Amino acid sequence: ELVRLVIEHGGVYFLDKDKRGDFKTCEDLQYLAAMQHPVGGKNDIPNRLKRNFFIFNLVLPSITSINDIYGQMLVGRFTPNDFDDATLDVVGKLTESTIRLWRSMKSKMLPTPAKFHYVYNMRDLSRIFQGILFTPKESIIEGGLRAKEGKLDNFSPPNMMLGLWRHECDRVFCDKLTTARDKEGYDGLISEIGQDVFADAYDTACSSPKYMVSFLRDDIYDEDEILIDEAPKIYEDGGSLDMIRDRALMFLDKYNEENPSKKMELVLFEDALKHMLRINRLIEMPRGSGLLVGVGGSGKQSLTRLAAYISKAMCFQITLTKQYNRSSLLDDIRILYKSAGHKR
C-alpha cells in the first residue's frame, strides 16, 4: 500500500512528530518493477497496485529454441576433426537429455516455503553447458593426468563425455536439494533419462561417480627451485576419492606450513572432501557463487579456506567488533572492490 500511495499520490506523509501529517511530494519519478509468478511461497501483490503498471509477462523460450541455442554451442566446440563418431553421437544427445532433466526437475521438485530455492530456470541449463564447455578437449580425448598415469578404469572419450555430463548435472541440480528423499528422487530421474537416451552406454559410463577437479598439476620450478610458472588449472577427471584426498591433504599440509597461526587440523572424510570439491569448483568457475548452509562447527569456514587456498584465491572475512559500523562495512567493501578489480 505504501508503494501504491507513492505512485498514485506522488509522495508520502511524514511520520516525524514535528512534521506528522505533512505531505512530501516526489516529482519526476518513473517506476519500474519486476516479480516472479506468485507460487512456491511467493506472495502476489494487490490488483490496486498492478493497475498502475503496464505489464509484460515474459515466458521462457520454446524447447526448440533452447535446443538450438545450446546445440549450436556444442556443435561448434565438438567437431569431427577432433572427436570420433561415438563421442559426437553422445554430444548430439546432450541437449535433449539435459532439457528433459531440467523440465522434470521443474515439474517434480517444486518450491515450498521451506524449499524456496527450488527454482530452475535458464541459468541452470547454462551452468551445465558452461561446465562441459569449460573442460579442455584433451581432458575428454586423453582423460587428463589420471588417464596418463593409468589410474582410470574403463576410460574412453564417449564414457568421459557422459560422465562429465552427469557430474555437471549433479553439481547444478543435486547440490541444490536439501533432503535425502529429494536426492534419491533426482538420482532416479537422471538414471531413467540417461538410460532412455543413451541406452547401455549410460550404465557403463556412470557406474561410478566422476569427480572433476582442476588442481592435479604441479607448479613448474627450474633447477634452482625458482618458480617458473604456476600450475595450470586444467579441468579433468580426478579419479577416485582416495586419490583426490591425497592431493587435498598435500595442499592442507602446505597451508599449515605457510599459516602456522591459522593451522587447520582437518579430517577429510568422504562428505567433507565432497563438500570441499563443490566449493573449489564454484571458486574456479567464472562468476561462481554459493551459499553454504549448516550448523555451526560443521566445517563451512575451514573447507572454504582450504578450497580458496587450492585455487590461489583470496579468502576475506568480516571481523565483527563492538565498534563495527557502517563506515567499517564500506571500508571492507572497498578492499574487496580493489582486490576484485585492479589488483586481480
Side-chain angles (χ1 to χ4, degrees):
E1 284 298 307
L2 288 176
V3 177
R4 186 185 64 81
L5 175 70
V6 174
I7 295 175
E8 292 185 357
H9 297 279
V12 293
Y13 287 96
F14 283 102
L15 295 180
D16 300 332
K17 287 184 178 180
D18 54 339
K19 296 181 180 180
R20 186 168 295 170
D22 293 345
F23 190 77
K24 183 174 184 177
T25 303
C26 303
E27 296 180 345
D28 297 327
L29 291 179
Q30 291 181 325
Y31 299 93
L32 180 69
M35 64 177 287
Q36 290 185 324
H37 289 269
V39 293
K42 293 187 286 291
N43 297 322
D44 200 358
I45 62 173
N47 289 326
R48 297 172 69 191
L49 176 58
K50 289 180 189 174
R51 70 188 180 189
N52 294 289
F53 290 93
F54 187 77
I55 299 175
F56 290 93
N57 183 28
L58 299 180
V59 297
L60 286 171
S62 66
I63 298 302
T64 304
S65 299
I66 296 173
N67 205 344
D68 288 342
I69 292 169
Y70 297 109
Q72 291 301 318
M73 290 181 185
L74 295 177
V75 167
R77 173 66 186 278
F78 300 99
T79 61
N81 296 331
D82 298 320
F83 295 91
D84 56 25
D85 292 338
T87 306
L88 293 176
D89 182 55
V90 171
V91 171
K93 298 175 180 177
L94 289 183
T95 48
E96 176 196 349
S97 55
T98 309
I99 290 171
R100 281 183 59 181
L101 177 61
W102 175 64
R103 295 182 72 182
S104 298
M105 294 294 290
K106 284 179 64 178
S107 62
K108 296 183 179 179
M109 300 293 179
L110 299 173
T112 65
K115 303 171 183 176
F116 59 89
H117 62 288
Y118 279 26
V119 179
Y120 302 97
N121 51 38
M122 291 281 289
R123 288 193 190 95
D124 300 297
L125 280 176
S126 298
R127 290 191 187 103
I128 291 172
F129 290 106
Q130 180 190 40
I132 294 173
L133 297 172
F134 184 69
T135 309
K137 295 179 181 179
E138 294 74 19
S139 296
I140 298 172
I141 298 172
E142 302 172 2
L145 186 64
R146 295 299 191 205
K148 292 178 182 177
E149 296 172 349
K151 295 180 179 179
L152 293 184
D153 298 330
N154 198 26
F155 169 76
S156 68
N159 287 351
M160 181 67 199
M161 194 74 236
L162 254 178
L164 171 64
W165 172 77
R166 170 68 195 253
H167 175 269
E168 297 306 312
C169 290
D170 287 350
R171 298 288 73 78
V172 173
F173 290 131
C174 190
D175 288 352
K176 191 181 282 189
L177 306 178
T178 56
T179 64
R181 183 178 177 182
D182 288 346
K183 291 180 180 180
E184 289 172 5
Y186 160 81
D187 193 57
L189 281 176
I190 193 170
S191 297
E192 179 184 344
I193 293 170
Q195 291 164 359
D196 185 36
V197 176
F198 301 104
D200 295 337
Y202 175 82
D203 293 328
T204 304
C206 302
S207 56
S208 58
K210 282 199 182 302
Y211 302 100
M212 302 296 293
V213 298
S214 55
F215 53 80
L216 296 183
R217 309 302 172 111
D218 294 316
D219 293 332
I220 301 173
Y221 294 90
D222 64 7
E223 298 174 351
D224 300 323
E225 295 296 323
I226 298 174
L227 180 66
I228 299 176
D229 198 6
E230 290 187 344
K233 294 181 179 180
I234 299 175
Y235 199 53
E236 57 192 336
D237 191 345
S240 67
L241 278 179
D242 290 333
M243 299 179 198
I244 298 174
R245 183 180 289 109
D246 293 337
R247 186 74 179 169
L249 289 174
M250 183 271 290
F251 280 109
L252 179 61
D253 292 338
K254 289 178 65 176
Y255 175 88
N256 290 336
E257 288 177 8
E258 295 177 15
N259 303 275
S261 61
K262 300 178 182 178
K263 193 173 183 181
M264 296 190 296
E265 300 289 348
L266 299 181
V267 177
L268 293 177
F269 54 93
E270 185 173 318
D271 280 347
L273 185 59
K274 287 180 180 178
H275 285 315
M276 194 278 291
L277 294 179
R278 294 181 181 112
I279 298 169
N280 180 257
R281 177 182 173 277
L282 291 174
I283 296 173
E284 293 288 350
M285 284 291 172
R287 301 180 69 183
S289 61
L291 176 65
L292 309 186
V293 180
V295 297
S298 58
K300 299 186 295 295
Q301 291 187 26
S302 300
L303 293 177
T304 302
R305 286 195 186 97
L306 178 58
Y309 177 79
I310 291 174
S311 298
K312 294 183 172 63
M314 186 191 80
C315 192
F316 181 84
Q317 183 177 13
I318 291 176
T319 303
L320 292 177
T321 61
K322 290 182 179 179
Q323 291 76 32
Y324 197 89
N325 52 25
R326 181 177 178 178
S327 63
S328 304
L329 175 63
L330 294 176
D331 289 339
D332 285 337
I333 294 175
R334 194 174 294 113
I335 293 171
L336 290 176
Y337 274 144
K338 290 179 179 177
S339 63
H342 74 278
K343 287 185 179 179
R344 186 175 179 181

